[in-house]
Amino acid sequence: MNTDWKKKAAVFISSQTVSLLGSSLVQYAILWHITLSTQSGLMMTLSIICGFVPSFFLSPFAGVWADRYNRKMLIVFSDAGIAAVTLVMAVVYMLGYESIWLLFLVSAVRALGTGIQQPAVGAFIPQIVPEEKLTRVNGINSTIQSMVTLVSPMASGALMALSTIDVIFFIDVVTAAIAIAILMFFLHVPPHEKAMQKHQAGYLSDFRSGLSYIRTHGFIIKFLTFSAVFFFLAAPAAFLTPLQVARSFDGGVWHLSAIEIAFSLGMVLGGLVMAAWGGFKNRIFTMAFSGFALGLCTFAMGVIQIFWLYLIVMGITGVVIPLYHTPATVLLQEKVEESYLGRVFGFFGMIASAVMPLGMLVFGPLSDTLTIEWLLVGTGLLMLVSSALLLGSKSLVKAGLKIS
């Protein structure tokens, strides 16, 4: 590993931060527009499905691409594609052709770009960061991205109050162009070894070898299974809380901004904690602790009726999220062979993309017949159970030991 890894990591994180800013503005604009204009659990569910399902279908391909081709260029091309589609949508909306269904369409296309980026980013970071520094760098990255997410709802809310949604689309195009320029002109990293080789095997062969690798490493299967359960149970807390606030607290834009700000502040603090502390000696213990805390917070959001208390719990929820995501990411980066990282992250992204919409297919329509509070109470209790089962997996606990 070159001695200038800090500079390379800083440049890469900077580009991702700029890209995230524009994406977050669009994400909140779309989410709030649909929430406030429809107040429908079904419409929220359709929005979530459009934002995740395309990634599910693309992730198996994207994982192989991340192992076969230059990962940096995959990130660049996906950013460029997202920017192009967003530009078209900005022009369409500026001309007055506004429709909820067009927002679903742009969410779906943006999800395709995200499906390419996720395995490429997950596999690219170990190329530029020493193994023993992965937790620190991922923690710092989480903190910076949380700070961007903290600013985004305030900026998006202000822009929506002062202008129209097409302005936010144009801003996203500009930030994507800046992010691409940073990667192209300031980050010079040679492709990983397999990307420089002539591919003897075909795509399907690489795909099957990735499946075989996962099957022969039992801890990966269990890791993916527990992650699937976690994502499924987290769906109501992740996606139905804005609708809960709109219904139960008669919330408007400032209420939605407040919960996002509280959550993002928590995420910033959680990222700082992971960057400074690094978690327990066993990464699975840190993930389980996060799961227990998230389960309690989800339960609490289902019973609290005072908005400022609700904001406090939302902030605590933000704190514990990096305590799950960071060790989970580093565990894969440390334990999976470099030549298979893209495919493993691809399957990980596929599960995340499939399970969250599946959860919303269940919980979204239920939110129109049952109160969201009951859904939060039930899923919170189930998170406590799943976290206990995570601690009971001997193979995962063994895999979770940090590399000294």
Side-chain angles (χ1 to χ4, degrees):
M1 181 70 64
N2 295 330
T3 56
D4 63 342
W5 68 268
K6 290 183 180 179
K7 178 181 177 181
K8 292 178 179 178
V11 171
F12 181 70
I13 290 175
S14 297
S15 72
Q16 295 301 290
T17 300
V18 173
S19 178
L20 177 64
L21 175 60
S23 296
S24 295
L25 290 175
V26 171
Q27 175 185 341
Y28 288 118
I30 292 176
L31 176 63
W32 293 348
H33 183 83
I34 293 173
T35 300
L36 296 176
S37 62
T38 69
Q39 292 199 18
S40 167
L42 176 60
M43 297 303 283
M44 286 286 291
T45 300
L46 290 175
S47 176
I48 300 304
I49 290 174
C50 289
F52 279 86
V53 168
S55 294
F56 166 75
F57 289 107
L58 192 62
S59 288
F61 299 93
V64 175
W65 295 339
D67 285 335
R68 289 171 67 98
Y69 305 116
N70 189 323
R71 290 161 181 163
K72 187 185 85 169
M73 296 310 300
L74 285 175
I75 297 170
V76 168
F77 289 144
S78 60
D79 257 343
I82 292 174
V85 172
T86 305
L87 177 60
V88 171
M89 187 60 62
V91 173
V92 169
Y93 259 66
M94 184 177 65
L95 294 175
Y97 298 99
E98 299 185 9
S99 169
I100 293 293
W101 300 104
L102 287 177
L103 295 180
F104 291 162
L105 176 62
V106 73
S107 294
V109 176
R110 291 172 65 87
L112 291 174
T114 301
I116 296 174
Q117 277 192 347
Q118 285 180 339
V121 170
F124 183 71
I125 290 178
Q127 283 184 233
I128 58 177
V129 177
E131 195 170 73
E132 67 274 11
K133 302 295 184 181
L134 284 172
T135 298
R136 179 175 173 81
V137 170
N138 279 288
I140 292 173
N141 188 35
S142 175
T143 301
I144 294 175
Q145 292 193 356
S146 297
M147 292 174 68
V148 173
T149 308
L150 170 64
V151 174
S152 297
M154 293 183 286
S156 185
L159 287 169
M160 288 184 69
L162 298 173
S163 59
T164 55
I165 195 172
D166 56 278
V167 173
I168 300 178
F169 286 152
F170 279 116
I171 292 174
D172 183 39
V173 174
V174 174
T175 56
I178 295 172
I180 291 171
I182 292 174
L183 284 181
M184 292 301 295
F185 297 113
F186 298 100
L187 183 61
H188 304 289
V189 178
H192 56 288
E193 183 178 351
K194 188 171 182 180
M196 294 186 292
Q197 297 173 351
K198 183 177 180 181
H199 302 298
Q200 301 296 332
Y203 165 79
L204 289 179
S205 177
D206 274 356
F207 180 76
R208 286 193 295 266
S209 68
L211 286 176
S212 177
Y213 181 85
I214 292 174
R215 282 197 301 266
T216 55
H217 292 75
F219 82 91
I220 300 179
I221 296 177
K222 290 185 178 180
F223 173 88
L224 296 177
T225 301
F226 277 107
S227 294
V229 173
F230 181 84
F231 292 141
F232 181 84
L233 295 176
F239 297 119
L240 291 178
T241 45
L243 186 59
Q244 179 195 15
V245 169
R247 289 178 178 176
S248 301
F249 297 101
D250 295 323
V253 170
W254 86 264
H255 289 84
L256 299 179
S257 298
I259 63 172
E260 295 297 341
I261 291 169
F263 180 79
S264 298
L265 279 173
M267 287 277 286
V268 170
L269 180 57
L272 289 173
V273 168
M274 284 306 302
W277 170 44
F280 295 113
K281 186 175 180 180
N282 192 303
R283 303 199 190 284
I284 295 298
F285 293 168
T286 311
M287 293 168 60
F289 173 78
S290 174
F292 279 119
L294 186 59
L296 291 174
C297 288
T298 303
F299 180 89
M301 285 189 287
V303 298
I304 290 175
Q305 299 180 357
I306 302 173
F307 187 66
W308 67 267
L309 287 177
Y310 187 93
L311 286 180
I312 292 175
V313 174
M314 184 64 73
I316 297 172
T317 301
V319 172
V320 301
I321 291 296
L323 273 63
Y324 184 94
H325 182 266
T326 301
T329 300
V330 175
L331 187 150
L332 292 180
Q333 290 173 338
E334 285 183 340
K335 302 296 183 178
V336 176
E337 293 178 25
E338 195 274 341
S339 59
Y340 289 94
L341 264 178
R343 277 163 285 184
V344 172
F345 272 109
F347 283 108
F348 184 49
M350 182 175 64
I351 288 174
S353 300
V355 172
M356 294 293 263
L358 180 61
M360 283 302 294
L361 280 175
V362 175
F363 298 120
L366 278 178
S367 70
D368 287 334
T369 56
L370 298 176
T371 64
I372 296 175
E373 284 76 8
W374 277 111
L375 297 178
L376 292 171
V377 167
T379 52
L381 292 174
L382 290 174
M383 281 184 189
L384 298 178
V385 175
S386 66
S387 299
L389 293 175
L390 176 61
L391 284 177
S393 172
K394 294 181 179 179
S395 61
L396 279 178
V397 170
K398 181 179 178 182
L401 288 171
K402 292 183 181 180
I403 296 177
S404 56

